[in-house]
Amino acid sequence: MTVARNRIAVYPGTFDPITNGHIDLVDRAAPLFERLIIGVAESPGKSPALPLDLRVELARKAVAHHANVEVRGFDSLLAHFVDQVGGGVLLRGLRAVSDFEYEFQLASMNRHLIPEVETLFLTPAEQYGFISSSLVREISRLGGDVSGFVPPAVAAALQAQWQRNHR
């Protein structure tokens, strides 16, 4: 792996929606790399609540304060996306021990598919460790207040999405 490639990290996920926990990881990882690319996966198998273009837009707004962070949507194999953008590091978040087994399996598969890329795990600040996109979606869908878990634009987009779905 070349040194230049090591300076580009890819933080992949569905980001349905992006949460304060995701943003915390970006805030701490951005200074470590020359470029940090948030790869928003289309993930049709997960049936995302928000369309890809909206998830990309919301992520861009959430991390706009970082000059070296860019957000891109993708609908391919992660290994292909990482190769396309020249990434040398995959950034993944671990909220709890329960995440580890799945993330370890993903890291092992990615090591097989893209051996020149290293996986780096970061943990969120304690106040974000319990936040997950799926919990945020469910709370929002049921009319709960998610403003403490996501940026204001994300809370508004979720509320609008549920209103559209219930018409």
Side-chain angles (χ1 to χ4, degrees):
M1 176 170 18
T2 66
V3 173
R5 197 172 175 96
N6 283 340
R7 294 185 182 147
I8 300 172
V10 176
Y11 182 20
T14 307
F15 301 102
D16 185 37
I18 193 164
T19 68
N20 291 342
H22 295 129
I23 296 163
D24 176 62
L25 253 60
V26 170
D27 289 345
R28 288 183 298 110
L32 303 176
F33 300 98
E34 193 171 294
R35 285 177 54 214
L36 175 58
I37 300 167
I38 298 174
V40 182
E42 187 168 30
S43 298
K46 288 186 172 183
S47 302
L50 301 173
L52 178 61
D53 59 340
L54 180 56
R55 288 182 280 136
V56 168
E57 176 189 332
L58 292 170
R60 283 183 178 144
K61 286 179 183 176
V63 299
H65 57 286
H66 291 289
N68 68 327
V69 176
E70 65 180 276
V71 180
R72 293 190 189 185
F74 72 100
D75 63 357
S76 62
L77 184 65
L78 177 60
H80 296 159
F81 178 72
V82 171
D83 189 53
Q84 175 191 350
V85 299
V89 175
L90 269 177
L91 178 64
R92 298 293 295 171
L94 289 175
R95 290 177 308 223
V97 173
S98 56
D99 289 343
F100 183 76
E101 188 171 351
Y102 175 72
E103 290 295 339
F104 185 81
Q105 185 178 15
L106 281 181
S108 297
M109 182 60 74
N110 285 324
R111 190 174 304 114
H112 178 77
L113 295 172
I114 41 177
E116 67 280 6
V117 175
E118 291 295 337
T119 299
L120 176 68
F121 296 106
L122 289 179
T123 57
E126 296 78 33
Q127 68 265 33
Y128 303 122
F130 67 92
I131 300 173
S132 72
S133 293
S134 55
L135 282 175
V136 167
R137 278 193 316 272
E138 187 66 5
I139 292 166
S140 177
R141 187 180 67 78
L142 295 171
D145 179 12
V146 295
S147 62
F149 314 129
V150 295
V154 173
L158 284 170
Q159 187 176 24
Q161 182 68 24
W162 306 134
Q163 287 173 348
R164 271 194 300 279
N165 288 348
H166 292 337
R167 285 184 183 165

